Amino acid sequence: MHSGASTHSLRFPGTCKRSVLVLQQSRIQRCRRPAGSTCAVAAQPAVQQLTKTDLVQYMRSGCRPKEKWRFGTEHEKLGYNLSDHKRIDYNSIKALLEGLCSRFGWEPIMEGQYIIGAVLDGQSVTIEPGGQFELSGAPVDTLHKTCSEVNSHLYQIKTMAKELGIAFLTAGFDPKWAVKDVPIMPKNRYRIMREYMPKVGTLGHDMMFRSTTIQVNVDFESEQDMVEKARIGLALQPVATALFANSPLRDGKPTGYLSWRSHVWTDVDNNRCGTLPFVFDDDFGFDRYVEYALDVPMYFVYREGQYLDATGGSFRAFMEGNLESFPGEKPTLKDWENHLSTIFPEIRLKKFIEMRGADGGPWKIICALSALWVGLLYDSESQAAALDLIKDWTRADHDHLREQVPKTALKTPFRQGTVQDLAKKMLQLSKNGLSRRGNHEEPFLEPLQEIAESGVTNAERLLEKYHNEWNESVDPIYNDAFTY
């Protein structure tokens, strides 16, 4: 999920013939979202003052032995009406969510009178600010399980979408509709973000209302293992961006970027986004990340079922009782958990690591992202080889990749070669790692191997159609070939 903490709630008797998850409770016992997804949790004002040690220990508590490692896959998609290609509004979202509950046994998540999501067996479906429909998968141990989960979800959604006269686009960015044309979802925290974004960047609303992504969330064994995975994740995230580039169109015409979605993040809010160069410092660890997060401006404090505006203040000030919006009040660990979910770097550290560099795309690409990172980071030999691959990269190298890859993807020059060369190396390491896992997971990499070998991204295929078959119109994208 890319635009802030998600809802979190209690079971409560209610509609859809199942228990209802509601946001109107102030004390929350557990999070129903899967490991690797985000949850906004209500917190009572602190009884005992938190220390920085508490925050560091919260992060450290994510360490787990390798045999208990799991991963979670998330993907978003843009819904549109078949009749006029306009983005779907909340009424369509509501019908989809209620259908998941009544037909397929999901439990609804409610915010006041609105259904805003649903949960089932560790999975959750939620909505982004512009109605992007997101599946956050359950934590699983094999790629076969995550792909089965995605296929089941798409079957359910497509079944109901056909009846509603809607479909879902496989693009990483809305190719046609402006922000003003996108219906706004009834989620209170998005109001706070919507009003704050223009104060700190020019593309925040593009991120909120028009972009989609695929993410995978991975575990770590120790602080040192976290450091290695974070460094590999940050260094090679642009390579994933290149392989998954699928957002070249905006406002009905080319943007000049193959991944406009990735470029958008460079001008959302530099206080909470970016490449985190300190991750490559010798002293990086949980403590250093906590120091960074303490000074990231807050969005909200969640109390008694309400998102209360805390924009501009830091969590450090909150710890000291000096948060301007809540003078004298101190935070809880639940507040810290919420705050971590409103930080948006290229990788995000919580009790796991989120890989955030991929555009949304076709269904076969969804499972490929998890395959890429699991093969690379869940096998010790491949992880060591990846670390060796990036060990002498400079700050200038990292900055070059972050700046140029959204424009030119695999064709981006890098040192004595191109990002295409890097992609082939990365995929080979991942394939080797998957092979050693012994679960016959290597075929999930095949869509990426085809892209890497050809050097042609999905974005470039879209542009070729736009300039030739489609006569420089984006309207033909609204067909079966580009929908789920």
Side-chain angles (χ1 to χ4, degrees):
M1 178 164 197
H2 61 246
S3 57
S6 176
T7 55
H8 180 97
S9 38
L10 289 171
R11 298 183 63 160
F12 189 82
T15 60
C16 288
K17 301 180 181 179
R18 303 279 294 184
S19 58
V20 181
L21 303 183
V22 296
L23 287 170
Q24 306 261 340
Q25 306 292 328
S26 60
R27 295 185 180 180
I28 304 303
Q29 302 302 320
R30 55 191 167 82
C31 178
R32 295 297 307 273
R33 295 291 300 279
S37 57
T38 55
C39 299
V41 285
Q44 294 287 3
V47 175
Q48 183 176 353
Q49 183 173 346
L50 287 178
T51 67
K52 180 184 166 186
T53 300
D54 295 324
L55 307 184
V56 172
Q57 181 54 37
Y58 173 90
M59 314 290 282
R60 194 183 304 277
S61 68
C63 297
R64 63 193 65 196
K66 188 171 183 178
E67 61 270 19
K68 293 186 177 180
W69 285 358
R70 300 291 184 269
F71 60 93
T73 308
E74 307 178 17
H75 79 276
E76 301 161 350
K77 43 203 170 289
L78 294 168
Y80 68 92
N81 297 304
L82 292 173
S83 60
D84 57 12
H85 303 161
K86 291 182 178 179
R87 293 276 292 278
I88 60 176
D89 61 15
Y90 176 71
N91 288 331
S92 295
I93 294 287
K94 179 175 181 287
L96 284 170
L97 292 172
E98 289 179 342
L100 286 176
C101 297
S102 62
R103 296 190 192 187
F104 300 104
W106 292 66
E107 300 178 4
I109 303 172
M110 305 297 295
E111 183 171 321
Q113 69 190 67
Y114 298 106
I115 183 170
I116 58 169
V119 295
L120 176 68
D121 297 334
Q123 308 166 73
S124 67
V125 169
T126 52
I127 51 175
E128 292 294 300
Q132 300 98 313
F133 212 69
E134 177 182 12
L135 173 69
S136 294
V140 297
D141 58 355
T142 73
L143 290 161
H144 301 287
K145 291 178 182 177
T146 204
C147 204
S148 175
E149 179 183 68
V150 169
N151 287 336
S152 175
H153 168 75
L154 292 178
Y155 164 75
Q156 294 174 17
I157 295 304
K158 287 166 70 175
T159 298
M160 292 179 292
K162 184 176 181 180
E163 298 169 11
L164 294 168
I166 65 176
F168 289 93
L169 205 59
T170 61
F173 195 86
D174 191 317
K176 181 172 183 176
W177 302 107
V179 170
K180 65 180 177 60
D181 300 316
V182 179
I184 296 173
M185 297 299 108
K187 297 179 73 169
N188 288 335
R189 71 177 177 276
Y190 293 157
R191 174 188 55 79
I192 295 172
M193 295 174 63
R194 186 173 70 248
E195 294 173 358
Y196 180 70
M197 287 287 184
K199 301 176 182 178
V200 291
T202 66
L203 296 175
H205 286 174
D206 264 13
M207 178 276 290
M208 291 183 68
F209 294 101
R210 300 206 278 179
S211 67
T212 71
T213 185
I214 308 167
Q215 295 179 193
V216 62
N217 312 298
V218 299
D219 284 327
F220 43 80
E221 187 171 29
S222 63
E223 184 165 30
Q224 181 58 36
D225 187 44
M226 179 280 292
V227 169
E228 292 183 5
K229 284 179 164 66
R231 288 173 176 167
I232 294 167
L234 273 177
L236 295 180
Q237 207 65 219
V239 184
T241 298
L243 286 167
F244 285 81
N246 189 38
S247 54
L249 302 170
R250 174 183 187 253
D251 297 331
K253 55 185 182 294
T255 62
Y257 291 78
L258 295 179
S259 178
W260 177 257
R261 181 210 60 85
S262 179
H263 172 69
V264 159
W265 282 107
T266 65
D267 196 8
V268 169
D269 181 349
N270 288 336
N271 288 318
R272 72 182 72 246
C273 305
T275 56
L276 309 184
F278 63 84
V279 166
F280 298 97
D281 292 346
D282 292 340
D283 65 347
F284 175 64
F286 293 122
D287 185 276
R288 188 75 182 277
Y289 193 88
V290 167
E291 278 292 319
Y292 156 74
L294 280 170
D295 292 321
V296 172
M298 296 177 64
Y299 278 146
F300 58 77
V301 172
Y302 189 56
R303 293 287 185 269
E304 302 293 334
Q306 299 293 320
Y307 291 92
L308 306 175
D309 193 334
T311 52
S314 71
F315 204 88
R316 191 184 300 276
F318 199 10
M319 292 273 287
E320 296 167 352
N322 294 327
L323 194 61
E324 184 176 347
S325 305
F326 301 88
E329 186 167 333
K330 303 289 182 68
T332 69
L333 274 178
K334 295 300 184 184
D335 292 317
W336 176 241
E337 183 178 337
N338 289 341
H339 178 59
L340 290 174
S341 296
T342 64
I343 302 173
F344 307 131
E346 290 296 284
I347 67 153
R348 179 161 62 185
L349 177 62
K350 294 188 281 190
K351 294 183 180 180
F352 44 83
I353 301 174
E354 300 179 3
M355 302 297 178
R356 300 169 47 83
D359 286 359
W363 72 266
K364 64 182 180 179
I365 288 289
I366 297 171
C367 303
L369 181 71
S370 294
L372 179 66
W373 290 110
V374 167
L376 203 65
L377 300 178
Y378 277 29
D379 173 77
S380 57
E381 289 185 41
S382 288
Q383 180 169 317
L387 202 63
D388 186 65
L389 177 66
I390 66 167
K391 66 182 179 182
D392 64 342
W393 291 9
T394 66
R395 172 73 181 274
D397 289 331
H398 296 299
D399 290 346
H400 166 72
L401 290 174
R402 180 65 187 96
E403 180 181 351
Q404 293 299 319
V405 162
K407 297 178 183 177
T408 50
L410 294 173
K411 295 178 176 61
T412 304
F414 185 72
R415 294 193 164 189
Q416 306 307 310
T418 65
V419 170
Q420 183 181 7
D421 300 324
L422 279 178
K424 291 178 181 179
K425 293 177 183 178
M426 185 178 178
L427 283 164
Q428 187 60 55
L429 293 179
S430 179
K431 184 177 181 180
N432 293 344
L434 293 178
S435 177
R436 284 188 287 267
R437 277 168 55 86
N439 295 324
H440 306 288
E441 297 167 313
E442 302 94 312
F444 290 107
L445 288 175
E446 289 175 1
L448 300 183
Q449 291 172 317
E450 292 173 8
I451 291 170
E453 288 300 323
S454 69
V456 181
T457 63
N458 286 329
E460 288 161 301
R461 292 188 176 95
L462 272 176
L463 288 172
E464 192 278 333
K465 289 183 178 295
Y466 171 86
H467 287 295
N468 296 299
E469 293 179 37
W470 298 350
N471 296 316
E472 299 194 344
S473 169
V474 298
D475 289 328
I477 199 173
Y478 298 97
N479 66 55
D480 290 346
F482 295 94
T483 58
Y484 291 105

